[in-house]
Amino acid sequence: MSLPKLSRRSRILLVIAAVIVLALLLGARLLDAYVNWLWFGEVHAREVFSTVVLTRIVLFFAIGLLVGGSVSLSLWIAYRTRPVFVPISGADDPLSRYRSAIVGRIRLFGIGIPVITGLIAGATGNGDWQRVQLFLHGTSFGQTDPEFGNDIGFYAFSLPFYQWLIGWLFVAITLSFISGLIAHYLFGGIRLAGRGGQLASAARVQLATTAGLFVLLKAVEYYFDRYNLLFSDRNAPLFYGATYTDLNAVLPAKLILLFISAICAIAFFAGAFLRNIQLPAIALVLLILSGVLVGAAWPAILEQFSVKPNANQKEALSISRNMTATKDAFGLNNVQYQDYSGTGQATASQINADTTTVPNIRLLDPNVLAPTFTQRVGRENFYGFPAKLGIDRYTIGGTTNDYIVAAREINTANLTGNQTSWINKHMVYTHGNGFVAAQANTIDRAVSNANSDGGYPIAATSDTQNPTGKGLVPNDPNAPGIQVQQPRIYYGQLTNDYAIVGGQAGKAPGEYDSAASSDYRYDGSGGVPIDNWFNRLAFAAKYGERNILFSDAISSGSKIMYNRDPRERVQKVAPWLTVDGDPYPAVVDGKIQWIVDGYTTLNNYPYSQQTQLGQATEDSLVGTARQANNNINYIRNSVKATVDAFDGTVTLYSVDDKDPVLKAWENVFPGIVKPSSDISPDLRAHFRYPEDLFKVQRELLAKYHVNDPQEFYTTNTFWNVPQDPTQEGGTNLDASGLANQPGYYVLAETPGESTPTFQLTSSLTALQRQYLAAWMSVSSDPKDYGTIRVLRLPTTAAGNSQADGPVQVQNKFQSDPNFAQQRTFFSNQSVSVIFGNLITLPLEGGFLYVEPVYIQQRNQNSYPQLARVLVAYGSKVGFASTLSDALKQVFGDTTSPAATPPAQPTGPTTTPSSPSSTTPTPPPASGGSNPALDKAVNDITTALSQLRTAQQNGDFTAQGQALAALDAATREYDAAKGSTPTSTTAPPPGG
C-alpha cells in the first residue's frame, strides 16, 4: 500500500497552511523577544538578554541534534541493514502495508520523525541555561566536603551539569533503542511468527550495542550517584546528608553496582557480535538482582538492625557534619549568643532614665496603616499605597528616628468615570507624586472613645508642592523633613500597566502632576521610544490596542513605559537572583529609590539542611510577594538592587564580594553587578536586613543553636517560631493553619550595646511550648550590618521564672481587668478592632511587650486609628490611650518622660485634618428668656473649663471626657435654639 499522491495545488495549500501555523506559533515569541530586547536596552542590560537568548538557542540545537541525531542514526542503520526479502503472511498482511507506505515516503519518515523528536527535546531542554552557564563559569568555594574532599564548587556547579548531561544521554539512547526496535520490526529484522520468533543478525547487533551503551551509561551514573549521597534525605526532616547507612552500605553498593554495570555492558557488546543473546540476558538478570540485593536489601537490613537501635551514636558524625555545613550555607557561623534571664524587674527610675529603647518604641504598624495613609495623604482618588507600608530610619534635625514610609503611587485601578478612557489611563494619569513619611512613635492626639478623632500618624509628603517635606517634625511643622529633588514616581509596586509619556507640546495631552499642574511632560531617561511606526505597530500588537497605532497624541519624543514594578525589573535584569518579597522606597541623595534585596541560592550544598523557601518565609503579613516553595540549602543576600522611581534605572550592587555563587554569575554577566565600593554612604545608611533571609535563618536557628550531636538528635532543646497571636484565632493553641509571627523592625538598644540600632527582631519559644526561649535580632546599621545576636533564656526555668511568650502575653492582655472594663468600647457594633504588631523588647533583664490597638469604623470611607496601647512587663499589664499612661500603670507615675507622648504642634502642618489647639468660647446666653438655652450655655462653659484644665495638665483621659461633655452640651444648645447641630463643637485639642 502506498500513500496517495498530492496534486500541485494541494501541496501549495499545505505549504501555505504550514507557513500560517508557523507564523502563529513563532510570531508571538518573536514579538515578545523584540519587546524584551527594547526593554533590556532601556535598562542598559542588553548583554543579559543576548547571553540568555544565545545560550538557549545553542542548547536548543545541541539537545535537538543529540536526541534527533540519535534517532535518525538508529533509523538509518535499521533501514540500511533491513533484510532483502521479508516473507509475508498473506495478501492482507497489515505489516506489509505499513512497510510499503513507509518505503514509499522514506524521506518523510526518515527525516520527519528525527526532526520532530529533536524539536521537542530542544524546546524542553533549552530552559536549563543557568545550569550550563554555572558549569562553564563556576568558581571555587575554598572549602571541601568532609567525605570525598571535593571543593564545594564541584557540587554547586559541576555535578548538576554532569547529571543533566547524563539524563539527556539516557533520553537519546532510550529513544534510539525504541526507534531501532520499531524500525527493525517494520522492516522484518524482528519477526514474532513461529516458535520463539526470529531476530536478524543486524537487528541483534544494533539493539544489543544500544543496550550496552545504556548499561555503560548506568555505570557512569553510579559513579556520580556516590556524590549525591551527601544530599541524602534518609533521616529527613531531622537532618540531611549522608547517614551511617549511606556511608557504610549504600556507598560501597554504588561501587559494586558500577563494576557490575561495566561487566554487563561488556556482555551486551560481546553478545552483539558472538551471535549469542543468552550472554546479554544473563547480564541483565545479574544487574537487576545485584541492584535489588546490594543496592536495596543490604542497606535496609543495616538500617533496621544496626543503626536504628543505636541511632544517637551511629548518626553523631553525620549530624555533626550537617550542623557544620548548614551553618556555613545559611550564614549562621558567627551568631553572638548571650545568656539572659528574661525575668528582670525594671524600676520606674530605670525606665525614666532610658534614652535608647523606650523613647523609640514604635506604635505605628506598617501592616495596618495603608488605608489611613490613603485617606489622609493620598489626596486624589487615583493615588494609592501598597497594602504593606515600609519602615526605615532617617536623621532629621540631628535626631535619628524610625519612620513609616511609602511612595504615593499612581493606582490606575482606582480610576473612575472618564478617567478610565484610554488617553486618560495611559497618557494623563501616568505617575505618582511624593514620598510620604510619618514618625513611627508619634500620633497626633490620643483617642478618648470610639467616636473620637485622633490616633493618626503625623505624615508629611515630600512632593512637587512640598519638596522639603516640611510638616514631618511634630513640634516644628515648618522645619524641613525629608527633602526630595525628584518626587515623581513612574515606577512602583502599584504601576502594573503601561504608560505613554513625553511627546510634543500641543499633541501630547499633558500628564497630571498636581492640582496646580496638569500639563507636565516626562523629560527623564526612562521608557522605550514609541515615536516610530515600527515600534508603534509592535506595541499595538503586544497589547492588542489599536489606539497605540492611530493616536495623534503619540508624537516625536513619546516613550512607552512597561514592566514598571521594581521587583519585576530586578528579576528580569538578574534572572539568577531570588528576589525578596518586600521592596521598600528610600530617599537616597535626594532621589526616590526602590531598594530590592536579591539572594543567590543553591539546593546542592553537601550535608546542608534542605529548606522550603516558601514555607520558611510565610507569616501573617499581607502585601508582600510570596516566595515559590523551592528547596534550597544555601542562601546569601549577595546583591542589593536599586530601582529609580523616576527613570526606572536598575542598579545591582554586590554586598557579599566573597560569595562564590555571585562570582560565578559575575563571570557569566561581567559588569552587570557593581562592586560594593560603589555604594554611597547615603544608600548604605538605608539598607535593611532582608526579611525573607531573616525568616529562613530564624527557622534554622531554632534547631541549629544546638552544638552537641547527641542533644540535637533528642530535639528536646529545639525552639519554635511562635504563631502570631494578633491574627484571628491567634491565641488558640489547638488551631491549625495559623501563620508565624513576622519579624519586626525596631530602633532600640540591644543588651551589651550602648546606642540604639535599627534591627530586625523576633521571639522564639520552647519546642511545643509557649514560654519564651530566646530573642533574636539582626542589625541593619552599617557599622555591624548583618550581625546576628541571640538572647538565650535559661532552659531549666520553671514556674514564675519563665518569661512569657507572645501567645501568653496576648492572653494576658485580653484577660486584663482594665481591658475587660473597656470591652464596651471595643464591642461597639460600629467599630472593628485591629490588634497591631506585638513587639518584644529586652529591657533591664526582662522583656517589654508593646502592642498598639487600632479601631476602624464599619463604613466604606473609614480607616484605622490608634486607640489604645497595651504594655506588659513581667506580671504587670498596662492598657491606656497613650504609651506613657500604659507605662505608668506598669512601672509607676515617674515613667512618663521616657515615652514619646502624642504630638503637640505649635503651628499649622501639612498633614490633612491637622488639629487646632484653640479652644472655642461659649455662645451667648438668652438672658433668661430660654432656660434650656441658658443651661446649655452653662454646660458648655463648664466643659470648656474642664477641657482647658485637662490640656494644661496633659491629662488625655480628662480631655476625652471634657470633649464628650462639650459635644453633649453643644447638641443641647442647638436643640434649645431649634436648629440642627452646627460647627460650634470644639475641635479636638492639639495636645
Side-chain angles (χ1 to χ4, degrees):
M1 182 188 74
S2 61
L3 293 176
K5 293 185 177 180
L6 299 175
S7 65
R8 184 172 181 273
R9 179 182 179 185
S10 298
R11 289 197 297 270
I12 293 174
L13 290 176
L14 283 176
V15 170
I16 294 174
V19 170
I20 292 174
V21 170
L22 189 64
L24 291 175
L25 291 176
L26 298 180
R29 288 184 175 271
L30 292 175
L31 178 62
D32 286 341
Y34 178 68
V35 169
N36 282 329
W37 182 79
L38 291 174
W39 184 87
F40 276 96
E42 176 202 351
V43 295
H44 308 291
R46 199 161 277 168
E47 65 274 16
V48 174
F49 177 80
S50 58
T51 300
V52 173
V53 170
L54 182 61
T55 306
R56 297 189 69 158
I57 291 174
V58 171
L59 283 179
F60 177 85
F61 284 105
I63 297 173
L65 286 173
L66 172 66
V67 177
S70 299
V71 172
S72 178
L73 180 62
S74 180
L75 292 175
W76 182 81
I77 293 174
Y79 178 73
R80 296 287 293 179
T81 60
R82 71 191 186 281
V84 177
F85 173 74
V86 180
I88 60 175
S89 58
D92 296 328
D93 185 356
L95 195 59
S96 175
R97 294 198 301 270
Y98 293 139
R99 187 183 306 119
S100 300
I102 293 173
V103 171
R105 292 287 188 271
I106 192 63
R107 290 188 177 181
L108 176 64
F109 289 99
I111 297 175
I113 292 175
V115 167
I116 293 174
T117 305
L119 289 175
I120 295 174
T124 303
N126 77 90
D128 289 318
W129 66 271
Q130 294 192 19
R131 194 189 305 255
V132 175
Q133 286 289 2
L134 284 178
F135 170 73
L136 296 174
H137 299 92
T139 60
S140 170
F141 272 66
Q143 294 175 280
T144 58
D145 77 87
E147 182 61 30
F148 299 104
N150 294 320
D151 187 88
I152 303 299
F154 168 77
Y155 300 94
F157 308 128
S158 301
L159 184 59
F161 174 79
Y162 295 143
Q163 292 173 322
W164 173 82
L165 182 59
I166 289 172
W168 278 112
L169 289 173
F170 270 126
V171 171
I173 293 174
T174 301
L175 291 177
S176 296
F177 183 87
I178 294 173
S179 59
L181 181 68
I182 295 174
H184 278 294
Y185 176 69
L186 289 173
F187 292 131
I190 300 174
R191 297 186 64 204
L192 301 180
R195 188 176 180 181
Q198 294 180 2
L199 182 65
S201 175
R204 184 185 65 251
V205 170
Q206 180 179 350
L207 296 179
T209 302
T210 306
L213 290 173
F214 185 94
V215 177
L216 187 61
L217 188 61
K218 187 66 180 176
V220 176
E221 185 183 42
Y222 279 130
Y223 175 81
F224 287 106
D225 277 350
R226 299 177 306 135
Y227 302 121
N228 281 332
L229 293 178
L230 303 191
F231 315 125
S232 172
D233 59 355
R234 185 181 296 273
N235 272 341
L238 179 61
F239 72 92
Y240 283 75
T243 65
Y244 182 89
T245 300
D246 292 323
L247 295 175
N248 294 278
V250 180
L251 181 58
K254 296 289 184 184
L255 290 173
I256 295 171
L257 291 172
L258 185 156
F259 288 110
I260 292 175
S261 297
I263 295 172
C264 291
I266 295 174
F268 274 100
F269 295 144
F273 298 98
L274 295 179
R275 298 184 179 181
N276 184 353
I277 63 172
Q278 292 181 350
L279 190 60
I282 293 172
L284 181 61
V285 172
L286 174 63
L287 183 63
I288 295 173
L289 286 177
S290 59
V292 173
L293 295 176
V294 179
W298 165 237
I301 293 172
L302 182 66
E303 176 78 13
Q304 190 67 32
F305 297 103
S306 177
V307 177
K308 284 189 176 180
N310 310 284
N312 60 335
Q313 298 176 355
K314 297 278 189 181
E315 303 292 13
L317 176 62
S318 297
I319 292 175
S320 177
R321 290 176 172 180
N322 169 263
M323 293 163 62
T324 300
T326 300
K327 292 177 181 178
D328 285 340
F330 288 93
L332 297 175
N333 269 332
N334 299 313
V335 178
Q336 298 180 7
Y337 292 96
Q338 179 181 344
D339 292 332
Y340 192 77
S341 68
T343 57
Q345 295 298 321
T347 64
S349 58
Q350 288 174 318
I351 299 301
N352 189 43
D354 182 90
T355 59
T356 55
T357 296
V358 176
N360 292 311
I361 291 176
R362 178 165 60 80
L363 297 178
L364 302 183
D365 186 345
N367 203 44
V368 172
L369 290 173
T372 305
F373 269 47
T374 299
Q375 293 293 335
R376 294 182 66 82
V377 294
R379 212 166 63 190
E380 286 82 353
N381 64 292
F382 41 80
Y383 289 139
F385 299 94
K388 180 180 180 296
L389 305 178
I391 181 168
D392 200 358
R393 68 285 198 198
Y394 289 85
T395 301
I396 297 174
T399 303
T400 301
N401 289 294
D402 51 351
Y403 290 85
I404 306 299
V405 297
R408 188 169 64 190
E409 304 180 43
I410 192 74
N411 186 3
T412 54
N414 287 339
L415 295 175
T416 183
N418 194 54
Q419 293 175 341
T420 61
S421 69
W422 181 81
I423 285 184
N424 284 334
K425 184 176 182 179
H426 296 287
M427 301 189 71
V428 175
Y429 302 114
T430 58
H431 62 279
N433 186 354
F435 181 84
V436 182
Q439 193 167 315
N441 63 348
T442 306
I443 58 173
D444 54 359
R445 53 192 175 276
V447 171
S448 60
N449 58 59
N451 296 315
S452 296
D453 195 13
Y456 299 122
I458 301 178
T461 305
S462 304
D463 57 12
T464 53
Q465 296 173 299
N466 180 30
T468 63
K470 65 180 180 179
L472 186 59
V473 181
N475 296 322
D476 189 0
N478 293 316
I482 300 173
Q483 302 188 42
V484 178
Q485 298 171 4
Q486 180 50 267
R488 298 177 180 89
I489 300 165
Y490 283 86
Y491 299 86
Q493 292 177 282
L494 302 181
T495 50
N496 54 8
D497 207 347
Y498 69 89
I500 298 175
V501 300
Q504 291 181 336
K507 290 187 176 181
E511 303 167 43
Y512 183 91
D513 210 29
S514 67
S517 173
S518 58
D519 195 31
Y520 175 77
R521 271 173 293 279
Y522 182 75
D523 58 359
S525 60
V528 170
I530 198 175
D531 51 4
N532 63 76
W533 285 105
F534 187 80
N535 281 1
R536 291 177 72 168
L537 178 62
F539 284 102
K542 169 70 176 176
Y543 293 107
E545 179 54 68
R546 64 178 181 273
N547 287 320
I548 296 178
L549 193 60
F550 299 114
S551 176
D552 293 333
I554 300 176
S555 55
S556 177
S558 292
K559 296 181 177 181
I560 185 169
M561 295 178 172
Y562 52 104
N563 298 333
R564 299 164 70 191
D565 180 84
R567 190 172 183 269
E568 180 185 1
R569 291 177 79 82
V570 173
Q571 189 69 80
K572 287 178 72 70
V573 170
W576 38 273
L577 286 177
T578 299
V579 181
D580 189 82
D582 188 24
Y584 61 98
V587 176
V588 179
D589 299 321
K591 298 180 179 180
I592 301 175
Q593 302 276 354
W594 291 96
I595 299 178
V596 186
D597 287 282
Y599 309 117
T600 52
T601 61
L602 297 172
N603 66 352
N604 45 9
Y605 193 103
Y607 273 105
S608 179
Q609 191 75 359
Q610 291 284 345
T611 301
Q612 291 185 312
L613 182 60
Q615 181 178 331
T617 56
E618 187 175 357
D619 57 25
S620 62
L621 290 180
V622 297
T624 58
R626 297 301 183 190
Q627 297 288 355
N629 207 26
N630 299 324
N631 280 336
I632 63 168
N633 66 355
Y634 174 95
I635 187 171
R636 288 288 187 276
N637 176 213
S638 299
V639 173
K640 299 276 190 180
T642 62
V643 179
D644 192 292
F646 180 67
D647 59 31
T649 300
V650 179
T651 309
L652 307 178
Y653 296 99
S654 168
V655 290
D656 188 351
D657 297 331
K658 298 180 180 179
D659 178 23
V661 182
L662 176 61
K663 289 180 180 179
W665 285 118
E666 287 178 322
N667 291 337
V668 178
F669 303 109
I672 197 67
V673 180
K674 293 186 176 181
S676 57
S677 58
D678 285 3
I679 301 174
S680 69
D682 195 16
L683 174 59
R684 192 179 294 274
H686 290 287
F687 283 166
R688 303 186 320 193
Y689 198 78
E691 292 179 79
D692 285 344
L693 176 60
F694 176 83
K695 295 170 192 175
V696 171
Q697 292 177 320
R698 176 180 65 171
E699 187 82 18
L700 289 165
L701 200 62
K703 293 169 59 175
Y704 288 91
H705 65 278
V706 179
N707 294 317
D708 180 59
Q710 303 275 354
E711 184 181 345
F712 187 96
Y713 186 82
T714 65
T715 74
N716 62 340
T717 55
F718 283 2
W719 300 332
N720 277 145
V721 177
Q723 64 195 43
D724 187 354
T726 65
Q727 63 185 309
E728 185 71 27
T731 57
N732 184 0
L733 301 180
D734 297 324
S736 60
L738 294 178
N740 289 340
Q741 186 180 39
Y744 295 125
Y745 289 104
V746 298
L747 183 65
E749 177 188 325
T750 303
E753 301 292 313
S754 57
T755 57
T757 58
F758 190 69
Q759 54 193 293
L760 185 54
T761 67
S762 177
S763 301
L764 292 164
T765 57
L767 183 67
Q768 299 297 316
R769 294 292 182 267
Q770 296 304 318
Y771 60 85
L772 203 62
W775 181 83
M776 173 186 179
S777 77
V778 187
S779 174
S780 293
D781 278 10
K783 68 178 187 304
D784 61 349
Y785 179 90
T787 300
I788 302 176
R789 298 180 175 89
V790 175
L791 302 183
R792 190 164 42 190
L793 277 66
T795 57
T796 57
N800 293 331
S801 60
Q802 292 178 343
D804 290 336
V807 172
Q808 292 172 321
V809 169
Q810 188 70 18
N811 281 323
K812 186 183 294 184
F813 282 157
Q814 296 186 7
S815 60
D816 178 68
N818 290 334
F819 185 89
Q821 287 176 6
Q822 297 195 36
R823 189 168 296 276
T824 54
F825 175 73
F826 295 105
S827 300
N828 191 330
Q829 293 184 354
S830 65
V831 171
S832 296
V833 179
I834 304 170
F835 292 103
N837 40 215
L838 177 57
I839 296 176
T840 309
L841 299 170
L843 188 67
E844 301 296 341
F847 286 97
L848 178 69
Y849 285 91
V850 179
E851 179 180 305
V853 181
Y854 296 85
I855 60 172
Q856 182 174 355
Q857 301 292 328
R858 295 182 186 269
N859 61 69
Q860 185 177 1
N861 297 319
S862 63
Y863 43 91
Q865 56 185 136
L866 179 62
R868 294 290 184 269
V869 180
L870 285 161
V871 172
Y873 187 86
S875 60
K876 297 180 179 179
V877 172
F879 178 67
S881 57
T882 65
L883 176 61
S884 59
D885 286 344
L887 290 172
K888 286 180 184 179
Q889 295 175 13
V890 174
F891 297 103
D893 288 344
T894 61
T895 61
S896 58
T900 304
Q904 295 181 339
T906 57
T909 73
T910 59
T911 305
S913 303
S914 298
S916 170
S917 59
T918 304
T919 305
T921 58
S926 68
S929 61
N930 190 337
L933 185 64
D934 293 339
K935 179 181 181 302
V937 171
N938 291 333
D939 290 343
I940 290 174
T941 303
T942 302
L944 288 173
S945 176
Q946 294 172 348
L947 181 59
R948 294 190 188 96
T949 302
Q951 288 176 331
Q952 293 170 358
N953 296 334
D955 189 338
F956 299 110
T957 301
Q959 287 183 39
Q961 294 172 350
L963 284 170
L966 181 59
D967 186 61
T970 303
R971 287 197 297 269
E972 292 177 2
Y973 178 84
D974 291 330
K977 290 183 63 177
S979 61
T980 57
T982 65
S983 60
T984 56
T985 302

